[in-house]
Amino acid sequence: MIKTDVIIIGGGATGCGIARDLALRGIPHCLIEKGDYAAGATGACHGLLHSGGRYVISDPVSARECFDENMILRRIGEKCVENTGGLFVRLPGDSKIYRERFLRSCAEIGIPTEVISSSRALELVPSLNPEIEEAIRVPDCSIDPFRLCMLNMKTSELKGGLSFTRHRVIDILKSHGRCTGVKAIDTGTGEVKEIYGNIIVNATGAWADRIAQLAGGEVPLTLSKGSLVITNHRLTNMVINRLRPASDGDIIVPNEAVCLAGTTSLAVEDPDKIAILPVEVDTIIGEAGRMIPHFNHTRIIRAFSGVRPLLKSQKLDSRESSRGFQIIDHQNGMYSIVGGKLTTFRLMAEKMVDAIMNAFSLKKECETAQKPLDGQEELSGYPLSKRLADMKNIVCECELVTRQDVEKIIEQTQTRHVGDISHRTRLGMGPCQGGFCTFRALGIMHDLEILSPGQSVGSLRDFLQRRFRGIRHALWGDQLREEQLVEYIYLGILALGKRSEPH
Amino acid sequence: MKFEHCIRCTICVENCPVFRVNPSFPGPKQAGPDAERFRSEKDKTVDHWVMLCSQCKRCDMACPCGVEPAQIILRAQQRYGSEHPRSAAHLLFANNFYLSRLGSVTAPLANRFAGAGIGKKILRRAGITTYIPFPEFSFKTMKKQTKAAGRGSRKVAFFYGCFINFYRPDIGARIIRLLESLNIDVAVPPQWCCGLPALGNGNLDLARYFARKNVASLSDYVDAGYDIVYSCTSCGLCLLNDYQGIMEIPRAKKIAQNAYDLHEYILRLIVEKDIRPAFGEVARCVAYHIPCHLRALKIGYPAAELMKMIPALECHLLDDACCGLSGSYGFKKTNEETAVQLGRRAVSLIRKTGAGSVVSDCGSCRMQLGGLSGMDALDPAEIICESLGIDVKGKKPAAR
Amino acid sequence: MSLIEYDAIVIGAGVAGLTAGTLLAEKGKKVAIVTAGEPTACLSTGCIDFCSNMDNPEEAIAALPAHHPFHLVTKTQIHEAFYDFKRRMAGAGLSYTGDTNRNRHVLSAIGTFKTTCLTPETMQASPQNEQENIHIITFSGLKDFYPGYIISRLKNASFSTYDAGISTTMGLASLFEDENFLETFLLWMEKQNIRENKIAFPAVLGLESASAVKKTIEHRLERPVFEIPTIPPSMPGRRLFNCLKDGFRRAGGVIYWDWQATGAEKSGRLIEAVITGSHGRPNSLNAKAFILAAGSFVGGGLRAGHSNIVENIFDLPVFTPGKREEWFEQDYFSVNHRIGRAGIIVDESFRPVEGPWDNLYACGAILAHVEALKNGCGHGFALATGRAAAESLLEAGR
C-alpha cells in the first residue's frame, strides 16, 4: 500500500510538469503512467517550442502565453532547448493581407519579429524554396519532448516523488463520494498496486474522459489525429512555418539530427486505434516540399500519428479553436487538466498546482520558472556537431549513443523495454530505426542480467512490431532498401520469424 | 546529399583497410554518412579521428548504394585540416613538390641525409616514419618538351607525376620511347604536382593552386588535338575525380574526358587496330598489385590486359589488399602502425603467389611493397618496355 | 564501342551473378561481371538457404505456388548447381556440407534456430536443438555479440570472455589470422577447463583461414567447434563472397568493380552493350548476351519510387504487387507482405517475358514471385537460377 498526497495520472508533459512543480513546493506525490513517459500527444508532436506566431491571429491570449513560456523554458532548459529560431515563409500566392495582420498582431502581443528578404532567408536556410517572397523571423525553438519529461521527473525523483511507468489505472478508489486513491496494474507483471492520496490529478490527455468516468465525472473531448513524418537528416537548422492560416503540413522542425514535418487533422474516436494513412504522408511531403523542395526527394524514415485532446466546447477544426487549457474540478477530489500544448506545459502545471494549493489553503510560490531543470548536466547539449569528438563504444551509430549511456538508463530504470532506452537516448531513432542497435541494447540488458530466460526474443519481437507501425507507410526508395536489410538481419540472420523454434 | 542513400549495410566497413587494423578509426560508415548528420558548416570541427582515413577509396568502390563515403570524409578532412594546426609532417608532405625539387637539386647530399642515422632521427622528430627507406632523389628530372616532334598518327601530352619526375625519370623516358615506338608523338607539357599530396595533407588551397595551373596547361594541349596520358594511377584519379570534385576546377571535365591511363591508351589503340605491338617474351613471374586508386579510376585493369599478351609472363593479379602506404599517409608517425600492418599483409599475399617481383602502377605502392619485402618493385610500363625491347641510354638508379 | 567484346556480361556480383558467370567461364566463354558495389551476400550468414518451408527442401519447392520461378529450374539443374557449388567451395578451402533433400538448423546469435540447407564447415557442428550443451567464447567489448541471449534460451550453455584488446568482428577476424595470437588464445582456452561438449564462437575465426583455425581449435580442445553468424559485418558472408569471386576469376572471368550500369545500347531485339558511368568518359561494354542478376531492393536491382517499382538498366517492366499501401501488412512478422512478389517475370528460358530482348536473361532475387522471406529462398535460389540462366544462354548460343 502506498500513501501520498497528490496522485498524478498521466506521464506526458503536463503530468511531469505537475510532478516537478509539486516537488519544488514540497508536496509528496506519485505519478502513474500506463506506458513510458510521453506516450500520448507529447511523444507524437513536433517538439516545437512556439514563439506564439502560429496563434497571433486566431488566439492572441494563447500566443502571448506561448511566447512567455518559450522565454522561460529557454532559460531553465539551456541544454535541452535548442535555440533554432524560426521563419514564417511567404510563398508566391500567399495572402499579403494575412502577412499584414500577422505582423500587426505580433507587435500588439509583443512577439518580436524581423522581416527578412528572401536572399537573406536563403542564406540562413539554404534548402529553402528559392521562390519564397520573404520571411519573418521569430523566436521559435525546438526540444525533444521525451527529454523534457525526463528532466521534469528528475526534479520529482530528487525530492522523493514516486513514479510508476507501465502501470495502467484500472479503478479509482472512493469513499463517501470522494476519491481516495487508485488501483493500478503493472502491465509487465500483472501485480495490482493500490495507491492512496488526497487529490487525484487527471492529466491523461486523450484518455481524460475515460479516467474521469472511473471517478464518476466526465471530460467531454474531441479527439483529433495529427500525423508527422521524420526525415533522414536535418534539412533546416531553423523552424520553418508557412505564413498563412494554419493548414496541413505547414511546419518543419529540426530536432536532434532529423526534421519533423507535419501535421494533419482528422477526427478520431478511439485514441488507442490510430494509424497514419498514406494520403497523409503524401500531403505532408507535398506541403513541406513547397517550403523546402528537397522534401520531395528526401528520405523519410518514419511516419506516425498522435492524438490531440481538445475540449468539446471548442470548434471542430482543431487548429482554429483555442489551444488554451482548462482545469476541471470534478468536486470529488479529482481534477482534470485538459487542452493546451507542449509549449505551455509549465504554465498549465503551475495553474493546476496553484489550484491544489488553494484547495488545501497552503501557501507556497511556484518556482518552476525560476529554477533550471535538473539533470541537464548529463546532456551533451548543442550544437550537435560537438558529439563527434569521441567515437568510442558506440552502440547506436546513427545517433551516437554509447554503451555507457545505455547501461546508465538500464541501471536507473531497470527496464526491459528497448523503447524506454530509445526515449531517453534516441537509440534507434536514426535512419536504420534500430536495425543494429536494438540487438545491441537487448544484448546489453543480457549482460546486466536484467532479462529473465526467454524474455529477450519476446522483447525483440514486441519492439520490432511497434517499430513497424511507425515505418510501414514510409517505405519506398532508400528506406525500403533499408527495411529490407533490417528484415534480412532480424528474420534471416537472427531467425526471429515464426519459424524460430526447432521442430 | 549522397549520404541519404546509406542503408548502414557495413559493406564499406568490411572493405576499409584502416578499420581492420586501427581501432581508433571508427570506419567509413561512421566517418562518412553517420557523422554527416551531425556536421554543420557553422560549427567548429571536432572530429579529429577523421584524419585517420587513408583515402584509399575502397569504401566508395564497395558501396552498393552510391554513398561515396570517401568523398564525404575527404571534405570533412579538409574542414578539420583548415581549422586546426597542422603538424610538421603534414606541412612537409603538402609541399612535397617544392621539397622534392630541393631534394632533386641537391640530390647526392639529400639522399645521403635521408639515408643517414641523423637524418632519420630528424625525420622522426618531425613526425615522419622511416620504416621503409625514402626513395632516392634524382638529379636529372623530366625535361619539358612543349611540342610533339614527328609525324605520328597521334599526339600525346605526357603527365608524368612527381614520383617519376623526382625519383625515376628513367621510367618516364622509357614511357616516352614506348609511345614513340607505337607511332605516337609525345610532348611533355609544363606541369606541376597533381595536387594530391596537398589534398591529402589538409591543404586544399595549395592543391587548387597546382590544379588550376595543370588544367590551364593541359587544356591548351587538348585544344591542340593532344590526348593526355598519365602513368601514375593516383595522379590520374586526382586529375579525373578530385579536380571536378572537391577542388571544383572549371574546365576540369574537359581534362577528364581527354585523359587516359598509359595502358588504357595503348590497349585502346590495339583494340582499334591502330597498332600491333610485337610483344616479346618476358620470362618472369610477377605479382601485379593493383593500386587502390586504379580500382577507383573505373577503367578496369588495362595493364593486366596488356601483360596477358606477353608470352612467357606469369602474372598474378592481386586486388584485395591495400598496401597501406597510401601516398604520404603511411609516412606519418601516427599512421605507422597501420601502414606496417597493412603492408605486411599485402606482402604475405604477394609471397603466396611465389612471384619473383612485384608490379604496380603506383609509385607509392612500389615503395611500400618493395621496401617491406625486399623484392624488386616495377612499374608495369617497365615490363611492357622489356617485352618490346625498349630501353634508354644512361644508368638506372641502383635499387636500394 | 568497348575495348573488349565479351561472350556474356553479368550484371551483379552476388551469388546468382557469380554462379552464372563462373559456369560460363568454365565452359570457355569470355565473361565479365559488372557490379555497382559489393553484393548483399557479404552480409549473409554464409549459409545456403534453399527452401525452408518443410524439412525436405525439394518437397518444399515442389509445393511452392505455381508461378514461383523455382519451378522453371529442373531437379537436375538444382542438383548440379549444388554439386558445383560444393566442389568449388571445397577447392577454395571453404567446404560446405548438406544435401538438397534435408534442411538443418544453425544456432543464431539470439538463441533461435535458423533453418538452412548447406552450411560452411565452421558451422557444421552447430546444435540442432536446445538440449545440446555448449560453451560459448566471447570477447571483451565485442558489441555485436552477446552470449546472454543464448544462455537465456539454452539450458545447458555457459560462456567465458577473452580480452583480445579488439572489439570489432573484423578486427578479431584479422587477429585470428595471426599465428601468435592464436597460440596465446589456445593456451588461455586450455586453462578454462571447459566441461561442455561443444564450443561456440561468434563468427570471427578469421577471414581467409577460418576453416583451418577452427580445425586447430578443435584439435587442441578435442571437441567440436562451431561459429554463430553475427549481424553485419559478417565474416562468413564475406568468406562466401571472396571464394565465389576468386573462383570466377580463376576460371578466367573479369570483374569490373563499381561500374554501375546506367543504361544499355540496343539494336533491334538485341542488347549490344551496357553503359556505365565513369570519371571521364562513360564506359560501355559490349557482349553477345547479358544476364541481369542485380538483386532485389537491397541489392539495387529493383527501385521503389513513391508509387511504382522500376528496373533502371534495361527498363524492364516490373511486376508490382498493387499500390504502395498494399505492399506491407500491418503485422511485421507476416510472411505475406506483398512486396516479396515484386520483380521481373521470366519464362522457362529465363528471359523476361515482357522483353522484347532475345539476348537478355535474368536470375536471382530480381525475379518476381520469389517471396524470399516467406519461403526461405536465399542463396540456394540464386545458385539454382544462376545456373539455369547460364545454361539457357549457352543453349541459345548453339
Side-chain angles (χ1 to χ4, degrees), chain A residues 71-375:
Chain A
M71 293 297 127
I72 291 170
L73 289 170
R74 272 181 209 223
R75 208 180 354 98
I76 66 172
E78 254 191 79
K79 266 182 109 178
C80 73
V81 172
E82 193 183 353
N83 191 353
T84 57
L87 294 177
F88 274 82
V89 303
R90 183 166 68 82
L91 289 172
D94 287 346
S95 158
K96 287 215 184 98
I97 298 173
Y98 187 84
R99 174 224 195 253
E100 294 305 318
R101 287 186 66 193
F102 180 85
L103 287 169
R104 218 176 24 248
S105 305
C106 283
E108 279 166 18
I109 294 168
I111 295 173
T113 56
E114 182 195 344
V115 178
I116 62 177
S117 67
S118 71
S119 52
R120 175 79 185 120
L122 283 159
E123 261 173 47
L124 290 171
V125 184
S127 55
L128 279 177
N129 184 344
E131 287 174 19
I132 62 164
E133 307 257 3
E134 64 176 353
I136 300 173
R137 198 168 178 171
V138 292
D140 284 333
C141 293
S142 112
I143 191 168
D144 180 329
F146 296 105
R147 191 171 286 161
L148 185 63
C149 290
M150 307 307 167
L151 293 177
N152 275 275
M153 291 311 292
K154 183 84 186 168
T155 306
S156 163
E157 185 199 338
L158 288 172
K159 302 280 191 200
L162 297 171
S163 67
F164 298 100
T165 55
R166 300 188 191 277
H167 280 67
R168 197 175 68 250
V169 167
I170 50 177
D171 205 5
I172 305 285
L173 303 167
K174 291 177 90 169
S175 174
H176 307 300
R178 276 202 72 86
C179 299
T180 54
V182 305
K183 244 191 191 165
I185 184 167
D186 179 339
T187 56
T189 63
E191 179 207 345
V192 175
K193 289 188 174 76
E194 282 183 1
I195 302 159
Y196 291 89
N198 299 316
I199 302 247
I200 298 179
V201 175
N202 173 13
T204 55
W207 292 264
D209 193 38
R210 287 191 198 174
I211 296 293
Q213 293 204 10
L214 284 177
E218 66 165 11
V219 177
L221 286 174
T222 302
L223 300 179
S224 156
K225 175 180 76 158
S227 299
L228 293 171
V229 304
I230 303 188
T231 59
N232 176 73
H233 60 282
R234 281 195 173 204
L235 296 173
T236 167
N237 281 318
M238 296 180 77
V239 176
I240 308 292
N241 302 275
R242 184 78 174 272
L243 189 60
R244 68 174 183 194
S247 178
D248 282 349
D250 56 4
I251 319 175
I252 303 171
V253 181
N255 204 305
E256 296 293 295
V258 301
C259 260
L260 291 98
T263 173
T264 53
S265 174
L266 289 160
V268 289
E269 291 294 321
D270 186 346
D272 290 317
K273 289 196 174 72
I274 53 161
I276 191 170
L277 300 168
V279 63
E280 290 178 273
V281 176
D282 295 342
T283 303
I284 293 170
I285 292 174
E287 288 302 315
R290 297 216 54 213
M291 297 190 285
I292 295 183
H294 191 66
F295 244 95
N296 292 313
H297 317 289
T298 197
R299 180 169 158 183
I300 305 295
I301 62 176
R302 200 168 173 82
F304 60 94
S305 304
V307 188
R308 292 181 200 86
L310 303 158
L311 291 165
K312 210 159 200 158
S313 55
Q314 297 159 358
K315 282 184 255 158
L316 224 58
D317 181 351
S318 57
R319 271 179 292 256
E320 273 305 314
S321 45
S322 163
R323 294 284 254 124
F325 58 93
Q326 197 180 349
I327 294 172
I328 301 170
D329 180 354
H330 296 288
Q331 305 291 342
N332 59 5
M334 178 185 274
Y335 291 80
S336 289
I337 175 158
V338 269
K341 60 196 84 45
L342 183 70
T343 306
T344 54
F345 86 95
R346 190 215 59 83
L347 180 64
M348 291 164 67
E350 177 178 339
K351 297 292 176 216
M352 183 69 251
V353 178
D354 281 348
I356 294 172
M357 302 297 273
N358 266 336
F360 286 85
S361 305
L362 293 168
K363 268 196 160 23
K364 191 93 189 338
E365 291 302 311
C366 172
E367 290 183 307
T368 58
Q370 281 73 46
K371 293 211 144 76
L373 289 170
D374 289 301

Side-chain angles (χ1 to χ4, degrees), chain C residues 61-223:
Chain C
I61 289 171
L64 288 171
H67 43 240
H68 196 290
F70 235 139
H71 294 306
L72 300 172
V73 188
T74 66
K75 249 195 172 156
T76 315
Q77 282 174 320
I78 291 173
H79 287 151
E80 286 179 347
F82 272 64
Y83 176 76
D84 268 352
F85 173 75
K86 283 162 77 171
R87 170 179 60 83
R88 289 184 197 128
M89 290 293 114
L94 186 63
S95 295
Y96 273 71
T97 51
D99 285 303
T100 58
N101 59 5
R102 197 166 31 98
N103 274 327
R104 58 156 301 177
H105 294 299
V106 163
L107 180 65
S108 83
I110 58 171
T112 54
F113 288 85
K114 178 185 161 64
T115 303
T116 189
C117 188
L118 296 189
T119 51
E121 206 183 321
T122 55
M123 294 180 202
Q124 204 179 325
S126 195
Q128 298 303 292
N129 60 60
E130 290 172 344
Q131 275 64 52
E132 293 199 37
N133 63 59
I134 62 170
H135 186 83
I136 307 168
I137 306 284
T138 187
F139 300 89
S140 312
L142 181 57
K143 69 182 182 188
D144 285 338
F145 184 74
Y146 301 88
Y149 275 109
I150 302 168
I151 305 292
S152 81
R153 283 174 73 84
L154 269 55
K155 300 167 211 60
N156 304 317
S158 66
F159 76 97
S160 18
T161 309
Y162 181 71
D163 189 353
I166 293 255
S167 62
T168 61
T169 47
M170 275 229 70
L172 285 166
S174 225
L175 272 185
F176 269 101
E177 297 284 341
D178 179 339
E179 286 169 357
N180 294 328
F181 168 79
L182 186 56
E183 187 51 42
T184 316
F185 175 71
L186 285 167
L187 291 169
W188 173 87
M189 278 203 74
E190 281 165 345
K191 286 205 207 88
Q192 299 312 299
N193 289 319
I194 296 166
R195 293 184 317 267
E196 289 89 348
N197 299 342
K198 285 185 180 177
I199 305 177
F201 286 87
V204 296
L205 295 181
L207 257 180
E208 285 94 36
S209 331
S211 297
V213 170
K214 168 201 163 272
K215 284 202 188 85
T216 307
I217 302 175
E218 280 184 330
H219 183 72
R220 284 284 279 270
L221 276 293
E222 291 175 333
R223 71 204 87 182

Side-chain angles (χ1 to χ4, degrees), chain A residues 232 298-299 397 478 482, chain B residues 4-7 29 37 49:
Chain A
N232 176 73
T298 197
R299 180 169 158 183
E397 283 143 13
D478 289 321
E482 178 74 77
Chain B
E4 271 189 342
H5 302 313
C6 178
I7 60 172
K29 172 177 81 76
R37 294 173 69 239
W49 40 268

Side-chain angles (χ1 to χ4, degrees), chain B residues 9 14-15 62 296 319-320, chain C residues 3 38 43 238 245 249 279:
Chain B
C9 67
E14 286 184 8
N15 276 270
D319 74 344
D320 264 344
Chain C
L3 288 187
E38 293 189 340
L43 311 169
R238 185 133 284 272
K245 97 169 137 70
R249 291 207 285 208
H279 302 295

